[in-house]
Each structure stands twice: as C-alpha cells, then as structure tokens.
Amino acid sequence: QQPVQSPQAVILREGEDAVINCSSSKALYSVHWYRQKHGEAPVFLMILLKGGEQKGHDKISASFNEKKQQSSLYLTASQLSYSGTYFCGTENTGNQFYFGTGTSLTVIP
Amino acid sequence: NAGVTQTPKFQVLKTGQSMTLQCAQDMNHNSMYWYRQDPGMGLRLIYYSASEGTTDKGEVPNGYNVSRLNKREFSLRLESAAPSQTSVYFCASSEPLKGWTGAYEQYFGPGTRLTVT
C-alpha cells in the first residue's frame, strides 16, 4: 500500500527542471508532498485533494490525476536549496496514510 | 513556539533493554504520530493518536507501545529492544488546514536516532 516514487534519485544543475512521480495502487483522497534535508526532519510542501484543490509552495507545483491514482511534483528552475529527499504521502479513501520511499534530489552548481 | 520536541536525540540500547521515547508539541494539535525511518523504506507509521485518550496501530506496530499522556505528549515505548528496531524515530503532530475539509499538515520533530546492539 506504500506509494511508489520515481525516479529514486536525480541530479540536476542549477536552473534545470525536475519531475518526481508518485503512484498508488489504491483510490486516493489526497496526496501530500514533503521535503527532507539530510539529517533533518521532513517539512510539508503541499497537499492536493481529490477534486482539484491544492495548497502549497510558491515555487513548486504539483498535479494529481485521480483516475490514474498518480501525482507529480514539478520543480522548475531548481536552486541549490532544493536538494534533499522528497516524499509523497497518500491518503486513500479508507483514511489510511502512507509515505512513499522517497526521491533523492541533488542540485549542483 | 518550540513546535515538536523529542528526547533523547541519540540512544544506544542492548538487545532486550527497554526505553521510552518522549515527544511533546506546543501547537495545541489533536493528532500525533510516531514514525520510523529506515534507509530505502521511507517513513512508516508505527502508531497514531487522533485525540487525547485514543491511539491506533499504524503500519508497523509490533514491538512498540504508546501512551497519549495528555494533549501535548505522546510517548513510544520499546519493551524489549531488538536489532531490527535500529532506526530513526520521528514524532509528528498535525492540524487541519483552515477552510479545508480533510486536509492537514504534519509537523515533525527532529528525530531520535536509536541503535540496538
């Protein structure tokens, strides 16, 4: 029931774009995205709800395809500060919440 | 506000020893959670508490017990530690997002790095 994230790792140069995908086998009510820097706690980035509402970060966007039970996180014009591990968390219609295994993002100068 | 605090930051136990991880939040949140994080496994929910006086099992509850002492505090106890419980443990609390139905943001503590030898 843990969502699957892809890719597992990505390396970017500053200014490049990245897409991180999250896929679930269950019907979803919401998708959450968190970022964790090395040695620190995860920090909330955004949430997307079934029906299209979303609340999140001003420099990061995401989409939620309810029919495909998938979400994608879009990081545009990446900055060094974007480096970290990104986790999606999915809440299914049975109110069960699971985090994905994470995507490691490294931005280099 | 301190947010979510956890003690201790680091702990080494021998197999069979017991210990309690402490967590407190000062944000007046109803819901609190305990996760463990292992390399390549992401964050897995051990137990959660939707409100004071209630607790429920998560994905990996075996070997753990919890107590929701009051609204602020949620502790995790390992009765007989095993090497498989070597992990980083995170406590979190959450509140509903204002004006949103069914949406919430989790706030995480700094984590406890536990090694069982």
Side-chain angles (χ1 to χ4, degrees), chain A residues 2 29 32 34 36 40-42 44 47 49 53-55 87 91 97-101, chain B residues 35 37 40-45 59 90 97 100-106 108-110:
Chain A
Q2 190 174 30
Y29 175 75
H32 306 218
Y34 286 78
Q36 183 179 29
E40 298 181 8
F44 174 80
I47 182 171
L49 297 181
E53 291 180 285
Q54 59 176 274
K55 172 179 165 58
F87 292 98
E91 183 174 8
F97 184 86
Y98 295 93
F99 276 104
T101 51
Chain B
Y35 291 93
Q37 184 173 35
M41 301 291 290
L43 290 143
R44 291 182 293 168
L45 184 65
E59 191 183 353
F90 286 101
L97 292 170
W100 293 64
T101 302
Y104 55 93
E105 172 179 347
Q106 293 187 51
F108 285 82

Side-chain angles (χ1 to χ4, degrees), chain B residues 14-27:
Chain B
K14 292 189 187 303
T15 297
Q17 287 184 318
S18 62
M19 81 159 295
T20 300
L21 280 63
Q22 306 287 353
C23 173
Q25 52 94 7
D26 63 0
M27 296 175 283

Side-chain angles (χ1 to χ4, degrees), chain B residues 35-100:
Chain B
Y35 291 93
R36 60 177 289 173
Q37 184 173 35
D38 303 294
M41 301 291 290
L43 290 143
R44 291 182 293 168
L45 184 65
I46 306 171
Y47 272 93
Y48 69 98
S49 171
S51 61
E52 184 180 348
T54 69
T55 60
D56 286 286
K57 293 179 181 179
E59 191 183 353
V60 288
N62 291 346
Y64 306 95
N65 285 303
V66 290
S67 295
R68 183 74 184 266
L69 304 168
N70 47 54
K71 193 170 186 179
R72 288 187 65 246
E73 297 171 291
F74 189 36
S75 62
L76 179 73
R77 183 159 177 84
L78 287 71
E79 290 292 351
S80 178
S84 60
Q85 294 179 305
T86 293
S87 188
V88 179
Y89 291 85
F90 286 101
C91 176
S93 67
S94 73
E95 64 172 4
L97 292 170
K98 287 188 176 60
W100 293 64

Side-chain angles (χ1 to χ4, degrees), chain A residues 7-19:
Chain A
Q8 285 186 311
V10 60
I11 299 174
L12 300 174
R13 292 200 177 276
E14 267 187 298
E16 290 182 338
D17 302 338
V19 180

